[in-house]
Amino acid sequence: MDQKNQFLSAPTAARAFGFFVDGEWKDGAEHFERASPGHGTPVTRTVRCTVDDLNAAVAAARRAFEDRRWAGLSGAARGSVLLRVAEILRRRRDEIAYWEALENGKPISQARGEIDHCIACFEVGAGAARMLHGDSFNSLGDDLFGMVLREPIGVVGLITPWNFPFLILCERVPFILASGCTMVVKPSEVTAATTLLLAEVLAEAGLPAGVYNVITGSGRTIGQALSEHPDVDMLSFTGSTAVGRSCVHAAADSNFKKLGLELGGKNPIIVFADSDLEDAADGAAFGISFNTGQCCVSSSRLIVERSVAAEFERLLVEKMKKIRVGDPLDERTQVGAITTEAQNATILDYIAQGKAAGATLLTGGEAIDLGRGQYIAPTLFSGVSRDMAIARDEIFGPVLCSMHFDTVEEAIQLANDTVYGLAASVWTKNIDKALTVSRRVRAGRFWVNTIMAGGPEMPLGGFKQSGWGREAGMYGVEEYTQVKSVHVEIGKRSHWIA
Ligand code: TXE
């Protein structure tokens, strides 16, 4: 049987996972059972770790960092482990995608594509491990030479969310490893399986014990304790803006650990009348429906030029109605299930708020009953004003709000009218408009005549309340380093005491 067809139904019983510390699998007294949001049946069982488990993991990561079993290797040696990881992921792609689709509810075909992106992350990380370097100053005079070293920051805590459990993990882990750091990962309690599978992969690739540790458990206990931990040098957090803020307080109240934060977004997609409207409509439909809109870079605010707004919305509705919403394990599915019951309720509540506020519902706006699991139809509201909750809050679901503009200035102003600044997209055939908008809209990632394109060579991260720091590429590796200035005197010292 080929690997693709081996996994096309949900398992009959939950698969049990341990947690991973210092190269060993461990079990705990309490467990968390996860049901597939697409099927409603139990699929995985993970351990509810204790704060003692977390402390042991941080201690293991500290030992692995201080004895230089990883940081002391050459970039080439670290890179070759990362390349082996890429090879193993290629071999296990369908299996990892299967567990990702089961726990998260995303379509299996999309999950496989995400694993391909993760493989690329490890390949880019391997190159980055070899290329990471500092700087030198030959300009301090003949008797003084300056070197700037980039040293790994130490033990990193990594807290990840449930929307892209493996992809967000792999946009960070290779770069943390490339820098020479060690880490303790706390995945979301509802989607921990693939983070644990990565522990198997890393061990098989030859990563030394203690470098990658995984502690499973709730955000309120384990996540909070990790963010407060005095022996963690840096915390990379991806999740809600509210918890991001609590991480800032925790860092300030403990050891001033460095923070990398990737938080919410309310991302604009600006469509000018001179764009290819057919392309732009396809981009807009994809931008709001990909991963059921549970995506920090979802383009959730459509800002369209008034002269073509009616025509564009008609095109877009036509496309959105054709999107195949269905069972995540069905190869043809384009949009799967909503990942958690809480998120499902939040999205339906925002749809109700949109209707009550007087926005015009053009398509969707309701749950889809497939007999099991939780599904919501891709939804488009028009006539949305900028003060409505659906225009301001991150809904994190397949709900797009359309607003209209007349001038380039007005488009930029509407795009920037948000506390967030994660991503933006502009559609136009006019180079002046494309460049003006790209330079004036405040967002960490920008797409011109495309959406959600790119690879791990390019940095990602947010402006404003979307976060701090950048992940991926050389920028991503550098985030996990700190800079040391070394001054070397050459020749005989000119004495202070005569
Ligand atoms: O996120 P949380 P939730 C947004 C999105 C969504 C909302 C709520 O708008 O509707 O957040 O989602 C861990 N200290 N995003 O409640 O709670 C938690 O266990 C430390 C955007 O699920 O932020 C999980 O591992 N950690 C986002 C992670 O934080 C804590 C992706 C994220 O969960 C913690 C996800 C605490 N006190 C949600 N409490 C994006 N940027 O893509 C929880 N956690």
Side-chain angles (χ1 to χ4, degrees), residues 159-164 168 186-189 217-220 222-225 227 237-241 243-244 246-247 262-265 294-297 340 343 346 394-396 422:
I159 299 179
T160 55
W162 43 259
N163 56 336
F164 291 97
I168 287 176
K186 203 237 44 100
S188 164
E189 48 275 51
S218 82
R220 221 171 311 126
I222 301 302
Q224 185 70 34
S227 65
F237 170 81
T238 306
S240 62
T241 300
V243 176
S246 91
C247 291
E262 193 185 334
L263 310 173
Q294 299 175 119
C295 187
C296 52
V297 294
T340 67
Q343 191 59 35
T346 300
E394 180 181 53
I395 299 175
F396 223 54
L422 203 51

Side-chain angles (χ1 to χ4, degrees), residues 306-334:
R306 200 177 311 276
S307 60
V308 294
E311 183 192 351
F312 186 74
E313 286 168 359
R314 186 188 50 73
L315 267 174
L316 183 53
V317 167
E318 237 173 67
K319 291 195 183 286
M320 288 172 83
K321 281 186 189 297
K322 286 189 196 155
I323 294 169
R324 293 186 300 273
V325 180
D327 186 326
L329 296 183
D330 184 334
E331 296 287 343
R332 293 160 303 177
T333 294
Q334 291 175 297

